[in-house]
């Protein structure tokens, strides 16, 4: 219905694509509550204070499981945000359609032009007051340990002058391993999302920003999720 509305109006209605985000968030929240999969969210007050300032930010989280996407949404809450998603996710039933309709930022890693357009699109959303979310590892870890970060997310935040909010997602793979399509146990009492204080991008190089965010994410992870070479 949303895609049809945007088609007939030429995108002039709901330019920031708030409606699909609201619908997806309502549906996801309901499913997590009914399945007892809502994660424990720690330091949520950090976001409450942030939202009062009306500053757009980049949310950055580690990636262990398909559950990380609804966990990320649950943490961010009822506000407008876009996910930086790899193009392959467009092929996933339901999720792919939601990503396209919601105006999320699609990245085709095999296409240099796509990468430049993704960067431009992400920066524009931040300047328009819309939050961005990304998993800088680029894919789900198979070992459960944090992998190297790609620098695209930090380039967007750095060029837009936007703060970055690190998130540590703990235990999502215990409820839904990375190769599973559906959870095999409820996440309640197992999974947590830890919200860290925003890290300013201004006054830092991209490398310094990435290092500071990575250190914050690692600080919230248990030993079995931390990278071996950084313990």
């Amino acid at each position: 219905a949303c895609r049809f509305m945007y088609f007939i109006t030429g995108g002039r209605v709901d330019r920031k694509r708030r409606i699909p985000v609201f619908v997806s968030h309502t549906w996801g929240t309901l499913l997590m509550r009914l399945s007892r999969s809502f994660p424990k969210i720690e330091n949520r007050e950090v976001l409450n204070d942030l939202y009062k300032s009306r500053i757009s930010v980049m949310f950055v989280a580690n990636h262990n499981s398909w559950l990380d996407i609804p966990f990320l949404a649950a943490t961010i809450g009822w506000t407008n945000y876009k996910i930086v998603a790899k193009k392959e996710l467009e092929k996933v039933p339901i999720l792919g359609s939601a990503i396209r309709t919601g105006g999320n930022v699609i990245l085709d890693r095999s296409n240099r032009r796509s990468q430049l357009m993704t960067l431009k699109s992400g920066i524009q959303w931040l300047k328009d007051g819309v939050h961005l979310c990304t998993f800088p590892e680029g894919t789900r870890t198979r070992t459960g340990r944090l992998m190297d970060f790609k620098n695209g997310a930090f380039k967007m935040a750095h060029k837009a002058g936007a703060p970055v909010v690190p998130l540590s997602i703990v235990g999502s793979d215990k409820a839904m391993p990375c190769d599973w399509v559906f959870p095999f146990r409820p996440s309640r009492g197992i999974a947590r999302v830890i919200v860290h204080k925003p890290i300013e991008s201004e006054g830092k190089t991209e490398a310094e920003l990435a290092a500071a965010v990575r250190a914050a994410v690692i600080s919230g992870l248990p030993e079995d999720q931390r990278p071996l070479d950084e313990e």
Side-chain angles (χ1 to χ4, degrees), residues 142-155:
R142 264 53 182 176
T143 65
R145 294 187 180 276
L146 188 72
M147 299 186 296
D148 291 339
F149 283 0
K150 301 181 185 303
N151 66 0
F154 306 104
K155 190 178 293 293

Side-chain angles (χ1 to χ4, degrees), residues 166-184:
L167 304 175
S168 301
I169 301 178
V170 177
S172 59
D173 59 328
K174 303 296 189 299
M176 185 176 179
C178 71
D179 291 326
W180 285 52
V181 179
F182 297 102
F184 76 94

Side-chain angles (χ1 to χ4, degrees), residues 57-130:
V57 302
M58 169 75 76
F59 291 94
V60 170
N62 57 301
H63 200 10
N64 284 337
S65 163
W66 283 110
L67 281 175
D68 296 334
I69 299 175
F71 284 1
L72 183 65
T75 302
I76 295 171
W78 301 89
T79 186
N80 196 9
Y81 60 89
K82 309 300 173 193
I83 295 176
V84 181
K86 56 185 180 182
K87 187 173 179 60
E88 292 84 349
L89 291 181
E90 289 186 309
K91 300 176 183 178
V92 179
I94 302 177
L95 177 61
S97 178
I99 287 174
R100 290 191 298 272
T101 305
N104 294 281
V105 181
I106 306 299
L107 172 62
D108 182 356
R109 294 182 188 143
S110 65
N111 188 316
R112 177 62 177 169
R113 178 177 172 81
S114 170
Q115 294 175 22
L116 294 174
M117 292 301 293
T118 297
L119 178 62
K120 182 178 179 181
S121 176
I123 292 171
Q124 190 59 55
W125 276 128
L126 288 170
K127 289 183 176 179
D128 288 343
V130 177

